[in-house]
Amino acid sequence: DAGVIQSPRHEVTEMGQEVTLRCKPISGHDYLFWYRQTMMRGLELLIYFNNNVPIDDSGMPEDRFSAKMPNASFSTLKIQPSEPRDSAVYFCASSQTGSAGPTDTQYFGPGTRLTVL
Amino acid sequence: SQKIEQNSEALNIQEGKTATLTCNYTNYSPAYLQWYRQDPGRGPVFLLLIRENEKEKRKERLKVTFDTTLKQSLFHITASQPADSATYLCALVKDSNYQLIWGAGTKLIIKP
């Protein structure tokens, strides 16, 4: 298995531009998570999906952020308009419901390093 | 508020010694706890999971303990090697919403 795939790996954009991050989870996994990691705040859960349905988006910082999962093999995280404070590494992770619940083990992608100038 | 604390300062250990990392939490009764390893420029990688009714879990040179009275988990690496150098994150799960709450991580440096 190729693992969780994210694209792009690096994104540099200017303030006000729209940014779209993409994720392909591991085949057969029914949970997908979007995280943001910064030095100041560490790893923060933004939103997670179960069987393509958003379950909890309470971590999404504001209305500028949106996420979709149109099918089991693809998800996007969109920021519109982007701001310099959105600069961070964004991780996608997937998991399969196990004996310890839906977060038995999370498999992370390599992340997208976003820089907003 | 819920809080997870890991040593913010880097931990320097001599090769061959046992490295012990600490994860403390407050205002929380987690159903289980996980430890992950993160290398620079990469996503976290799952290492071990321990449930609230388990005291200890082992995997090769790794050992995790979970003390729900002290609200603390210890992560041990025995016979440490320079390749064990990384940042180690602990994460807790409440059984109510299945969200993982993450610690900030501890950077471990194993010196040859």
Side-chain angles (χ1 to χ4, degrees), chain B residues 46-109:
Chain B
F46 172 79
L47 295 174
L48 282 168
L49 178 152
I50 187 165
R51 291 173 171 72
E52 59 181 338
N53 61 349
E54 298 176 318
K55 297 296 184 184
E56 182 179 297
K57 184 72 72 75
R58 291 175 184 262
K59 178 182 177 183
E60 298 174 350
R61 294 184 298 110
L62 309 180
K63 184 179 83 171
V64 171
T65 63
F66 194 10
D67 190 325
T68 55
T69 301
L70 292 178
K71 294 187 179 296
Q72 179 182 80
S73 175
L74 298 178
F75 177 81
H76 306 273
I77 304 175
T78 59
S80 60
Q81 305 167 1
D84 296 326
S85 298
T87 296
Y88 291 85
L89 303 163
C90 71
L92 306 180
V93 180
K94 283 169 49 174
D95 58 8
S96 59
N97 62 8
Y98 301 112
Q99 284 193 25
L100 276 178
I101 310 297
W102 295 82
T106 297
K107 185 174 183 179
L108 176 65
I109 301 170

Side-chain angles (χ1 to χ4, degrees), chain B residues 19-34:
Chain B
T20 298
L21 285 69
T22 305
C23 177
N24 294 302
Y25 58 93
T26 59
N27 300 331
Y28 218 18
S29 295
Y32 55 92
L33 181 150
Q34 301 182 22

Side-chain angles (χ1 to χ4, degrees), chain A residues 9 33 35 37 43 45 48 56 58 91 99-106 108-110, chain B residues 32 34 36 38 41-46 49 51 89 93 97-100 102-104:
Chain A
R9 292 295 310 277
F33 306 83
Y35 289 92
Q37 188 174 42
L43 200 59
L45 177 65
Y48 76 93
D56 188 340
S58 60
F91 287 104
S99 60
T103 50
D104 194 331
T105 300
Q106 293 193 5
F108 283 75
Chain B
Y32 55 92
Q34 301 182 22
Y36 286 74
Q38 186 172 22
R42 296 179 177 270
V45 175
F46 172 79
L49 178 152
R51 291 173 171 72
L89 303 163
V93 180
N97 62 8
Y98 301 112
Q99 284 193 25
L100 276 178
W102 295 82

Side-chain angles (χ1 to χ4, degrees), chain A residues 31-91:
Chain A
Y31 281 84
L32 183 139
F33 306 83
W34 281 102
Y35 289 92
R36 178 173 69 178
Q37 188 174 42
T38 61
M39 289 294 292
M40 289 296 295
R41 301 175 67 90
L43 200 59
E44 302 174 281
L45 177 65
L46 300 177
I47 185 172
Y48 76 93
F49 295 82
N50 176 221
N51 292 322
N52 314 336
V53 177
I55 301 302
D56 188 340
D57 65 354
S58 60
M60 297 285 261
E62 48 198 273
D63 293 344
R64 296 185 298 106
F65 286 69
S66 62
K68 294 182 179 180
M69 192 166 186
N71 57 63
S73 59
F74 184 67
S75 177
T76 60
L77 178 68
K78 185 177 293 186
I79 308 173
Q80 166 65 19
S82 58
E83 297 182 3
R85 60 192 168 116
D86 301 331
S87 297
V89 180
Y90 290 80
F91 287 104

